[in-house]
Amino acid sequence: EGFTEYFANLFQVNQGLITEDEFYALMSEKERYAIANYPKDISFTEMSKNILEPEMKEIYPNVYQKGALMAMCIDLIIRDKSNGKRGLRDMMGELSGMYGPTKPFDDAELIPVVTKITYPEVGDFLQKYVVKGESLDYAQYLKLAGVDRVNLKVPVDIALVVDMVPFIK
C-alpha cells in the first residue's frame, strides 16, 4: 500500500498534474502527519503479521504515510546507485516478472531477492526500517535527490475582521 501511495503521487508529477515542489510538499506533509500520529519506531513487518490485533489495526493507516515515504527512500537509493538509470518501478517490474499473479513469494526470501536485483543498500534499508522499525531520517535520503530540509517562517494573520467585528488570534 505504501508503494501504491508513493506511485500515485509520483505519477502526478510524471503527468504534469503537480510540480516537483508540490510533490515534495505532499511527502513533507506525510512525514509531519506520520510523526505526529504514529510511533516512529514501528516494524512494518510486525505490523503486517499482527494487523488483526487492535493496536496494530489502529496504526495501519501509517502505511499511507511512512510506507509511501519508505518507498520514496528506496526509489532514491536505487536511482542514486544506478546513476539515474533505474528506479523503484524497474525493481517492481523485475519482481512482477519473477513472481507474477500466480506465483506467490515466500516472505523470508523477498528481502534477499530485492537486495540481489537492486543494491545492498536497499537490503540494508529494508532490514533497518521495515523489519526492525528504526526511526527514519528522511532528509538523509532526500539529499540523494539534491533536496535539503529548510525551516520556513510562515506569516500568520493575527487579526481577522468579519462583518466589521475584529477577531484576534
Side-chain angles (χ1 to χ4, degrees):
E1 291 295 323
F3 280 41
T4 302
E5 179 71 13
Y6 171 66
F7 283 132
N9 288 283
L10 193 59
F11 177 79
Q12 293 179 65
V13 176
N14 179 272
Q15 296 300 304
L17 301 172
I18 63 173
T19 66
E20 287 182 19
D21 287 344
E22 290 170 315
F23 169 79
Y24 288 123
L26 284 169
M27 294 294 112
S28 180
E29 180 59 25
K30 287 183 180 303
E31 179 185 5
R32 187 199 63 72
Y33 191 84
I35 289 170
N37 295 287
Y38 301 107
K40 290 199 290 191
D41 56 353
I42 185 73
S43 164
F44 273 47
T45 304
E46 287 303 311
M47 181 175 64
S48 178
K49 285 180 188 175
N50 299 296
I51 198 61
L52 297 178
E53 299 298 322
E55 65 275 5
M56 292 297 180
K57 188 187 282 189
E58 187 176 300
I59 62 172
Y60 179 77
N62 196 17
V63 299
Y64 298 100
Q65 313 304 324
K66 187 175 180 181
L69 292 162
M70 288 190 291
M72 177 187 70
C73 293
I74 293 168
D75 196 17
L76 291 170
I77 294 168
I78 295 170
R79 289 176 186 281
D80 179 62
K81 293 295 171 189
S82 70
N83 293 314
K85 292 183 174 87
R86 298 180 67 229
L88 190 60
R89 251 181 77 195
D90 299 292
M91 181 195 84
M92 296 300 290
E94 285 184 55
L95 289 173
S96 180
M98 293 170 77
Y99 295 100
T102 59
K103 182 183 176 195
F105 59 84
D106 178 0
D107 287 351
E109 77 177 24
L110 185 60
I111 291 176
V113 167
V114 167
T115 304
K116 184 177 177 183
I117 65 172
T118 60
Y119 301 94
E121 292 83 356
V122 173
D124 293 344
F125 180 94
L126 291 168
Q127 286 295 333
K128 190 173 183 179
Y129 302 113
V130 177
V131 176
K132 293 179 184 171
E134 293 181 22
S135 185
L136 181 51
D137 176 16
Y138 304 104
Q140 168 189 348
Y141 294 96
L142 286 167
K143 284 184 181 187
L144 297 174
V147 177
D148 287 319
R149 182 180 306 269
V150 295
N151 291 320
L152 298 175
K153 291 185 178 186
V154 179
V156 177
D157 294 331
I158 58 168
L160 174 69
V161 178
V162 178
D163 293 330
M164 303 299 288
V165 177
F167 295 91
I168 302 204
K169 293 184 182 179

